[in-house]
Amino acid sequence: MSASSVAKCSSGFTARSGPLPRAVRVVSRAHGVFRKSTPLIEVQNFTVYIRNNVIFRKFNQRRRNIRDSGGEGYLSSCHYDPAHPEDLCPIFSIGYILNTSESDPEQRELMLAQGGMIEITVTWDCNFDRDPSQCLPQYQFLRLDSRDAQDYPGYNFRYAEYYREGSTDRRTLYKAYGLRFVIVVSGTAGKFNAVPLAMNIGSGLGLLGVVTVICDFIVLNVLQKRSFYRDKKFEDVHADDAYKPLDESGEHDGASYGAAVNSDP
């Protein structure tokens, strides 16, 4: 299976949408300035658009997590609903992702303030004996960063802007806190084929014969009562005894044998 996935974070779906608000510390060594901004709670209303394409080469099937028809307009108004995965709307609100990955409200507030890492798993479990349209993705959200970390909690990164004032080189260093999404895509697919079924049945029948041989070997050669089992399984006969019929007790019946001989023409 091959897959590709793209996540886009924005406040809307146009090219003019800005980045997610986040807490930013600004440090300038030249001026000794320290400034900190607080995150916006409204970030939970922002959305994440995850577009995912998969191909099952063995079955020559391609699937994606958006509709093949219906126009692009539906993406501007839909939101993912776990109760209706058939709607194929891969747009998730930040609040939904936070609530699903972290159940503690206090921890969610800390994630908005200190940042965090969340794994988004897209799973495809398909049965191509049915209509391919029933092959739908499933989404899971898992928090990756430690809740109990005392040093360097959450998720943050630094970047710098370099500029020149007159003849002096200056740098502004930013420490940004935000949410990082790690997207993992996995999938399995199957379809009925008569050839593997016949091979499995043949292998099963062959194993039954092998099991009989192995059991006989163990019973007749390994167990402590192997002599008893050998006497019950085999009977030694001599000369004409092989042609004598057995009575109910298992002994040769001489009278019956003689009658049988006399009745021959």
Side-chain angles (χ1 to χ4, degrees):
M1 184 198 77
S2 301
S4 63
S5 185
V6 177
K8 177 182 179 183
C9 302
S10 67
S11 58
F13 302 98
T14 64
R16 295 186 298 273
S17 300
L20 292 176
R22 56 177 177 261
V24 178
R25 290 183 179 180
V26 183
V27 180
S28 176
R29 292 184 178 178
H31 299 285
V33 178
F34 179 86
R35 183 171 69 255
K36 178 180 179 181
S37 60
T38 57
L40 298 177
I41 301 300
E42 290 77 9
V43 71
Q44 298 183 75
N45 297 326
F46 284 25
T47 56
V48 178
Y49 172 34
I50 302 176
R51 183 171 179 176
N52 180 225
N53 296 270
V54 297
I55 176 173
F56 297 95
R57 300 184 185 277
K58 187 173 183 178
F59 305 107
N60 194 26
Q61 292 287 344
R62 299 174 183 267
R63 296 296 297 161
R64 62 179 187 170
N65 62 342
I66 60 176
R67 298 178 186 174
D68 293 331
S69 61
E72 298 181 357
Y74 84 98
L75 289 178
S76 62
S77 58
C78 74
H79 285 79
Y80 175 74
D81 184 358
H84 299 282
E86 67 277 2
D87 292 342
L88 290 177
C89 182
I91 299 177
F92 308 85
S93 67
I94 299 295
Y96 174 80
I97 295 176
L98 288 174
N99 293 336
T100 306
S101 60
E102 178 56 64
S103 59
D104 189 349
E106 295 183 358
Q107 288 292 328
R108 290 199 295 267
E109 292 182 3
L110 289 176
M111 291 179 70
L112 290 175
Q114 301 175 349
M117 297 183 63
I118 299 176
E119 179 184 271
I120 302 176
T121 304
V122 186
T123 304
W124 298 82
D125 188 5
C126 303
N127 182 0
F128 288 122
D129 289 324
R130 305 174 181 174
D131 192 326
S133 62
Q134 298 183 20
C135 177
L136 303 173
Q138 298 178 354
Y139 302 92
Q140 294 179 331
F141 305 90
L142 176 66
R143 181 179 178 182
L144 296 180
D145 61 292
S146 175
R147 301 176 58 184
D148 304 323
Q150 299 296 327
D151 298 329
Y152 309 105
Y155 173 77
N156 61 80
F157 61 95
R158 295 173 174 83
Y159 64 96
E161 290 183 357
Y162 299 88
Y163 57 95
R164 191 177 184 85
E165 289 184 355
S167 60
T168 304
D169 293 331
R170 300 189 181 279
R171 181 187 72 166
T172 301
L173 180 64
Y174 297 87
K175 182 177 181 180
Y177 298 82
L179 298 175
R180 180 175 183 178
F181 301 134
V182 179
I183 300 177
V184 179
V185 182
S186 63
T188 56
K191 190 175 183 180
F192 175 77
N193 192 328
V195 174
L197 177 63
M199 293 178 62
N200 290 334
I201 293 176
S203 300
L205 294 177
L207 289 175
L208 290 177
V210 173
V211 168
T212 302
V213 174
I214 295 176
C215 290
D216 284 346
F217 177 82
I218 295 175
V219 169
L220 298 176
N221 298 277
V222 178
L223 297 183
Q224 294 182 354
K225 296 184 178 181
R226 52 183 177 271
S227 300
F228 173 79
Y229 291 115
R230 187 179 294 107
D231 292 340
K232 294 297 182 181
K233 184 175 180 63
F234 304 105
E235 180 183 6
D236 295 331
V237 294
H238 304 279
D240 293 339
D241 291 344
Y243 301 99
K244 295 180 180 180
L246 298 176
D247 57 16
E248 295 181 355
S249 61
E251 301 294 336
H252 289 290
D253 188 350
S256 299
Y257 171 70
V261 172
N262 293 334
S263 63
D264 291 338

